[in-house]
């Protein structure tokens, strides 16, 4: 079974102990850029490249606990009125350093900006009223692989949600620099999206088994694994399946028909017939794996390169379906394409049982 793109051989590790969080506080670095043409503001924040650790997640099996960054770019409506739902984005497995070194932090301070590869999507979601946070996961990519990396991705995503929750209450390391967001974030109405192995982390975080591990006051209402890497489970009730089974939250798995890295089917198979909320298998025809991220689009991984979509066409699919999905499940605004698709995008929907 294909389990996602890898640019270099890596060893597999696993974490079975409960996850605790550790963070080294540093002064947050932020930059802000309003875009008056679109009505969207863009803000970046970073607490440093060694700001977070997940006990049990190592740089390599038997190695030291890995240092992880707390870095993100935020797209939000330029004018915030009331509390806005939050959409958290997490990229997948790609080189952490532009110099092709698989270490973290990067010795040459040349971190690869995978988290900026969804700026086009963040801008569109923000234009439609969401506060969108795309997080950097380079430190995880430089560490162990396997389920331990999924646990670390989920923990990193939850830590960002915890930071945003505290920010909304006027507390924590982001409160002073991002004070304009205070009282404008609804952390009880969160959507998550993970691309590639980020999809595995997002599903692990939102699964029925791990719902109680979310930060207090945070509620995930919808999940979209985007071309998610598959996991291996030998039978339907294997522990791995339970770790990635979502039955109580709507989710959509979007995987292109020409994806040369993953097939994404295991998540729907794991939940269908058990689901208490709608689940959607979304297949953009002729889409590949990498074009969803603008920083990865130089690598055409398509199974059908002669008939595939252009990067612009593929991102147009993303900015059509993904906002409609989150508007339906976070804002209650039904859109028929979420369950039915449109020409060029097939959707198979499994309605709630019972």
């Amino acid at each position: 079974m294909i389990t996602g793109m890898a640019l270099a051989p890596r060893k597999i590790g696993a974490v079975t102990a409960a996850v605790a969080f550790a963070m080294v506080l540093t002064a947050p670095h932020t930059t802000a850029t309003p875009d008056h043409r679109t009505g969207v503001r863009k803000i970046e924040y970073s607490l440093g490249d060694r700001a977070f650790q997940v006990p049990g997640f190592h740089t390599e099996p038997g190695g030291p606990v890995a240092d992880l960054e707390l870095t993100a770019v935020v797209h939000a409506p330029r004018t915030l009125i009331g509390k806005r739902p939050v959409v958290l984005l997490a990229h997948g497995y790609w080189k952490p350093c532009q110099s092709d070194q698989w270490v973290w932090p990067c010795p040459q301070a040349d971190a690869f900006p995978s988290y900026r590869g969804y700026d086009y999507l963040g801008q569109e979601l923000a234009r439609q009223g969401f506060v969108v946070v795309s997080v950097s996961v380079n430190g995880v990519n430089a560490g162990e692989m396997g389920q331990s990396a999924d646990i670390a991705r989920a923990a990193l995503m939850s830590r960002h949600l915890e930071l945003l929750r505290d920010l909304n209450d006027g507390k924590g390391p982001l409160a002073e620099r991002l004070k304009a967001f205070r009282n404008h974030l609804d952390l009880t109405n969160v959507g998550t999206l993970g691309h590639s192995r980020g999809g595995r982390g997002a599903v692990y975080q939102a699964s029925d088994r791990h719902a109680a591990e979310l930060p207090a006051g945070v509620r995930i209402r919808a999940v979209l694994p985007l071309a998610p890497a598959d996991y291996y489970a030998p039978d339907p009730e294997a522990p791995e399946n339970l770790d990635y089974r979502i039955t109580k939250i709507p989710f959509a798995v979007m995987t292109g028909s020409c994806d040369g890295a993953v097939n994404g089917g295991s998540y729907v198979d794991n939940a269908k017939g058990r689901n208490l909320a709608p689940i959607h298998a979304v297949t953009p025809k002729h889409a590949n794996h990498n074009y969803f991220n603008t920083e990865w689009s130089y690598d055409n991984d398509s199974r059908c390169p002669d008939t595939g979509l252009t990067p612009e066409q593929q991102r147009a699919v993303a900015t059509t379906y993904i906002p409609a999905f989150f508007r339906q499940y976070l804002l209650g605004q039904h859109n028929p394409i979420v369950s039915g698709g449109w020409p060029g995008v097939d959707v198979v929907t499994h309605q709630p049982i019972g």
Side-chain angles (χ1 to χ4, degrees), residues 40 75-76 89 118-127 130 132:
V40 171
H75 288 85
L89 313 179
Y118 312 102
D119 280 358
Y120 73 98
L121 179 58
Q123 179 173 296
E124 180 58 28
L125 285 164
R127 191 184 67 79
F130 299 95
V132 186

Side-chain angles (χ1 to χ4, degrees), residues 255-258 283-288 304 307-309 317 342-346:
T255 305
S257 67
C258 291
T283 308
K285 296 178 181 177
H286 310 298
N288 69 13
C304 37
T307 59
L309 301 179
V317 172
W342 68 94
V345 178
D346 295 333

Side-chain angles (χ1 to χ4, degrees), residues 75-241:
H75 288 85
R78 187 155 44 93
T79 301
L80 290 169
I81 300 174
K83 289 194 173 185
R84 308 308 307 164
V86 174
V87 177
L88 190 78
L89 313 179
H91 67 83
Y93 187 70
W94 201 259
K95 59 184 180 182
C97 307
Q98 297 187 63
S99 56
D100 292 334
Q101 297 184 79
W102 288 87
V103 295
W104 188 259
C106 297
Q108 299 179 34
D110 61 343
F112 197 90
S114 290
Y115 71 107
R116 293 295 310 274
Y118 312 102
D119 280 358
Y120 73 98
L121 179 58
Q123 179 173 296
E124 180 58 28
L125 285 164
R127 191 184 67 79
Q128 297 193 35
F130 299 95
V131 174
V132 186
V133 182
S134 180
V135 304
S136 179
V137 199
N138 284 333
V140 176
N141 287 345
E144 296 179 272
M145 293 180 65
Q147 191 179 74
S148 58
D150 300 339
I151 294 170
R153 289 177 194 278
L156 185 71
M157 293 169 69
S158 289
R159 181 55 189 156
H160 279 279
L161 291 173
E162 189 175 33
L163 288 169
L164 295 169
R165 179 205 64 193
D166 290 347
L167 163 64
N168 193 60
D169 294 336
K171 301 182 296 185
L174 299 180
E176 185 62 29
R177 294 295 186 91
L178 301 180
K179 62 177 65 176
F181 288 87
R182 183 175 180 178
N183 295 322
H184 290 301
L185 304 177
D186 186 357
L187 273 302
T188 69
N189 196 20
V190 173
T192 59
L193 179 151
H195 181 201
S196 192
R197 296 196 187 191
R200 276 186 14 183
V203 173
Y204 186 97
Q205 179 195 35
S207 69
D208 299 352
R209 174 173 275 194
H210 304 121
E213 299 169 13
L214 290 172
V218 173
R219 177 88 179 267
I220 295 176
R221 304 280 186 174
V223 185
L224 198 153
L226 179 63
D230 289 323
Y231 60 93
Y232 175 71
D235 64 73
E237 301 307 319
E240 293 89 345
N241 265 319

